[in-house]
Amino acid sequence: MYKVNEVFETIQGEGSFTGAAAIFIRLQGCPVGCSWCDTKHTWEIKDTLRQPLGDIVIKTAETEHWAEVSPAELLALFATEGYQAKHVVITGGEPCMYDLNPLCHILHQHGYSTQIETSGTFEVKAPADTWVTVSPKVNMAGGYTVLQSALDRANEIKHPVAMEKHVDELLQLLQRTDTTAKLVYLQPISQQRRATELAIAMCKRYNFRLSVQVHKYLGIS
């Protein structure tokens, strides 16, 4: 069973799958404590805010409400809602607080591809053919460290940047893992102009890629 904050169909706006139609499953719960987090409503799991899945799907605003849902119920929901996308992004919150194997397996069996967006501070429990995006969170308020196992499992590393120290943090992390088969992105925090200019300059210097959160520029979820 998974604690689900949101389920919706949209366009993936970040990283390697930018522009792809996708179904997002946003899970509730995250202790990492990123100061710039844009989904702080997913941090706490309050029993008093549990709702039926039907109420979660029709949300019109970000709330802390969540539903407890099985993999089979999520799969059935896709059909009920008429979702056409075949790529599923599991995000949060921190999705790797959960064992994602049961959810990913049932989705793969029904023709979906899966992607996880994680801070890298929890072990990634998912099938080998799930695409793993690690957005490493360093020195956050929760005191968690980026796990070696998460870095090694990552298909792409997408690092949020606002200052040069964030690039330095990334360079130190990259020394810990083989990046030969990994894609490395810099993502400006909150569309700040200076952060974007810095990210572009650092992408040129280190041959990284740029991720600009296209969905926010388009004004969509």
Side-chain angles (χ1 to χ4, degrees), residues 156-185:
E156 66 179 1
I157 296 173
K158 179 166 57 65
H159 195 58
V161 295
M163 298 176 284
E164 287 197 29
K165 74 170 187 176
H166 298 140
V167 180
D168 293 339
E169 291 169 352
L170 174 62
L171 293 174
Q172 292 177 11
L173 286 174
L174 294 181
Q175 292 176 4
R176 293 167 40 188
T177 188
D178 182 2
T179 60
T180 305
K182 300 184 194 303
L183 300 174
V184 180
Y185 288 84

Side-chain angles (χ1 to χ4, degrees), residues 44-127:
E44 294 188 50
I45 300 172
K46 300 176 181 177
D47 289 339
T48 56
L49 297 180
R50 179 174 174 174
Q51 287 187 328
L53 179 58
D55 292 343
I56 295 298
V57 175
I58 61 174
K59 276 187 183 185
T60 57
E62 295 178 347
T63 74
E64 295 180 90
H65 292 88
W66 56 273
E68 193 160 60
V69 190
S70 71
E73 288 171 328
L74 282 166
L75 184 65
L77 176 70
F78 295 176
T80 300
E81 294 298 311
Y83 295 153
Q84 297 299 306
K86 300 303 287 185
H87 183 64
V88 178
V89 181
I90 307 168
T91 186
E94 173 45 70
C96 289
M97 291 174 59
Y98 301 85
D99 182 352
L100 299 173
N101 278 293
L103 176 56
C104 292
H105 279 310
I106 195 171
L107 291 172
H108 294 172
Q109 289 167 4
H110 287 82
Y112 294 90
S113 59
T114 56
Q115 176 185 1
I116 296 168
E117 296 180 338
T118 175
S119 64
T121 58
F122 286 78
E123 181 184 352
V124 179
K125 299 176 182 179

